[in-house]
Amino acid sequence: IIDTIDFLCGQGLSLVHPYMRTAEGRHIVQVEGFLWQASPYIQGVPLDRPAYALDRWRGTAMADVLVNLRRVSRDMPENHSAPPFSILNYIDVLMKQIRIREPGLFERLTPVTGFLQKRLAQVHDLLPVAFCHGDYHPLNMIWSDSAIRGVIDWEFSGMKPEIYDAATLMGCIGMEIPDALAGPLVMAFIHGLKAAQAFSETSWEVLVDMIVAIRFAWLSEWLRNRDAEMIELETVYMHLLMDHAEDLARAWHW
């Protein structure tokens, strides 16, 4: 992760702030038996939740970051990233665990996995891949009153289907305000990405499906924390996305 951030910064991605080096050039130091690394402090302002989801300028700014990330990461050395991540394989493993531990939840999720098998699974392995942030959403950005000042938390970065970051972002916005999936921020975000020709048509066609698939990663987090309220909310949200997939596609002008 340290090397990846250094590379991205060196390629001109100004919103990435590398970890600091010691006088000897090391990123990690051991003090009293613990390993430490430090990143520079970037001053920001709190994100106005959930009203931020109606700010068109934020959608444009977040699209610009992804376009620039795609540009600067094209020549990234292979040893800076793990092999491509398969969200479908992740879901398969998770569902086997849910079937044993939460059979009631398994039954409720079966229509969702069937939806993904019918649509996303048919093209997933053929989708173009690209280097992705991996957890791209507004809370992993440092904001000023009118711009993004930094992008943080690169722990899940790596090679993924090129539409992955866009799907993560839009899924998180819709989780806070479902109507915002066709609101000013999201529409400006899509417009910015399409204007830059950031993704293939095949990737755009499975955007809704990818959003649904990525929500399983969030569900896994709620299950680990035994957060019954969020497990229920996530399950309802998955069904909402699935049931309105065609409506969303129309709203996004496919």
Side-chain angles (χ1 to χ4, degrees):
I1 294 169
I2 288 172
D3 290 342
T4 296
I5 292 174
D6 277 350
F7 175 84
L8 294 173
C9 183
Q11 294 294 105
L13 193 63
S14 60
L15 296 179
V16 176
H17 303 283
Y19 286 98
M20 300 167 67
R21 293 178 182 267
T22 66
E24 295 80 23
R26 291 180 294 140
H27 285 104
I28 301 175
V29 296
Q30 184 169 352
V31 179
E32 297 181 355
F34 294 95
L35 297 174
W36 299 84
Q37 59 190 37
S39 59
Y41 177 76
I42 309 300
Q43 183 68 47
V45 298
L47 190 64
D48 184 10
R49 301 175 67 191
Y52 79 89
L54 304 177
D55 292 336
R56 181 176 296 275
W57 69 267
R58 296 186 195 271
T60 300
M62 290 186 287
D64 288 345
V65 172
L66 286 192
V67 171
N68 287 329
L69 175 61
R70 185 70 181 274
R71 174 180 55 82
V72 303
S73 64
R74 291 187 190 279
D75 298 323
M76 180 176 290
E78 290 186 6
N79 62 351
H80 282 16
S81 179
F85 170 75
S86 171
I87 188 64
L88 294 181
N89 289 345
Y90 180 91
I91 292 171
D92 184 55
V93 173
L94 179 63
M95 285 294 288
K96 288 176 181 176
Q97 296 171 337
I98 292 174
R99 185 172 190 171
I100 296 170
R101 301 179 183 180
E102 300 284 348
L105 178 61
F106 178 86
E107 293 299 324
R108 293 181 64 191
L109 292 174
T110 297
V112 183
T113 56
F115 169 84
L116 295 175
Q117 283 297 320
K118 185 183 297 185
R119 295 165 54 108
L120 182 60
Q122 304 305 311
V123 299
H124 180 273
D125 293 344
L126 302 176
L127 294 174
V129 297
F131 179 81
C132 296
H133 176 277
D135 197 16
Y136 193 71
H137 61 81
L139 293 181
N140 278 339
M141 299 168 198
I142 301 173
W143 297 91
S144 71
D145 290 322
S146 59
I148 298 173
R149 302 202 64 209
V151 181
I152 61 173
D153 289 352
W154 293 80
E155 286 80 2
F156 296 103
S157 62
M159 301 301 292
K160 295 176 172 60
E162 61 179 358
I163 203 78
Y164 193 96
D165 280 344
T168 299
L169 172 64
M170 293 168 67
C172 288
I173 290 172
M175 185 65 162
E176 292 204 49
I177 307 178
D179 286 348
L181 282 170
L185 186 156
V186 167
M187 296 310 296
F189 180 67
I190 291 174
H191 176 78
L193 293 173
K194 286 193 170 184
Q197 299 182 332
F199 306 130
S200 69
E201 284 302 313
T202 304
S203 294
W204 281 116
E205 288 169 2
V206 296
L207 175 57
V208 180
D209 314 75
M210 189 65 73
I211 292 173
V212 175
I214 291 171
R215 297 316 304 181
F216 277 87
W218 292 89
L219 176 65
S220 178
E221 181 70 16
W222 314 138
L223 287 166
R224 278 193 295 272
N225 293 332
R226 299 184 180 181
D227 190 331
E229 182 178 357
M230 289 305 300
I231 292 169
E232 175 63 22
L233 183 59
E234 196 69 69
T235 305
V236 170
Y237 184 43
M238 287 185 193
H239 278 268
L240 184 67
L241 291 168
M242 178 179 69
D243 293 342
H244 292 276
E246 300 304 324
D247 297 328
L248 289 169
R250 283 192 294 270
W252 298 334
H253 308 299
W254 282 187

